[in-house]
Amino acid sequence: MKKLPILLAGMTLIGSAQATVYQFDFTAKIQEMVEFSPQTFNGGPVASSNLSGSTVSVGDSLTGHFSYDTATGVFSQFGGGTMYAAPAAQNSLDVSIGGASIGLSGATYSSTNVQVANNAAALGGADSFGIANVSANAYASQMMAVSFFDRSGLALSASTMPGRLDFANFGQSSFYYTYSSSATHAMMGANGALTSVTVTQVPTTPVPEPETYAMLLAGLAALSWKARRR
């Protein structure tokens, strides 16, 4: 029975070498937009905006790509939901309109976070999954987000980072975009519904790293040495 802990240690090392990143493509359509100026206190619904430097309009079709890394560490927890964020994590969200990215150029700050909520009290027992990118440069800050919502609370079984997530289990999906000028603080916001989500890469079982093989062999050698001693 004393051999078991050593063998399990080797097996644990194999598991720890696995990094799982899931990737998806999606399309969406903008349904509503607003603009607001804190300097004049004017604002409201608009059909189009060029505040960000490129024209964004109600009815525009979006194409995007997002990925999430199941090894991302926990950043915070609240209301039955968990937010995952880490600088080195392979989480990403990119969106284009008419082939042109709406991401900020020359961003001095950029962070992509994942939020998972299972039977969240703040959502009335519903489930949700979301991924958001927040970025800023010398001229503006912006946020892009994709979220999925299941009122029944059956889409997820835990608030851990999900593997092989089936978005067909969610009854509602949304895209959000906000842009704010650093000089005037004028803001525009847009939201809409996703029209498709497609899996573009599902990881296969990863090959253990060389260091993992070395540690496993060391464990097996120790087992063999103990057996000879007997």
Side-chain angles (χ1 to χ4, degrees), residues 114-141:
V114 176
Q115 183 176 340
V116 184
N118 174 53
N119 302 141
L123 300 175
D127 290 351
S128 71
F129 175 90
I131 183 165
N133 173 265
V134 179
S135 59
N137 61 18
Y139 309 101
S141 60

Side-chain angles (χ1 to χ4, degrees), residues 21-108:
V21 179
Y22 294 91
Q23 300 186 35
F24 303 85
D25 284 338
F26 68 92
T27 58
K29 191 170 186 177
I30 294 178
Q31 298 173 325
E32 298 176 316
M33 292 184 61
V34 296
E35 273 193 1
F36 177 76
S37 171
Q39 293 182 336
T40 61
F41 295 100
N42 291 327
V46 295
S48 183
S49 172
N50 59 7
L51 181 66
S52 64
S54 58
T55 303
V56 180
S57 305
V58 171
D60 278 351
S61 295
L62 317 174
T63 59
H65 176 86
F66 68 89
S67 64
Y68 65 90
D69 184 344
T70 59
T72 308
V74 174
F75 178 76
S76 64
Q77 293 179 311
F78 57 93
T82 304
M83 181 176 288
Y84 297 87
Q90 299 181 63
N91 302 315
S92 67
L93 173 60
D94 304 293
V95 180
S96 298
I97 299 178
S101 173
I102 63 173
L104 286 179
S105 59
T108 56

Side-chain angles (χ1 to χ4, degrees), residues 3-17:
K3 300 178 183 179
L4 187 58
I6 299 177
L7 184 57
L8 287 178
M11 294 174 68
T12 302
L13 286 169
I14 291 179
S16 65

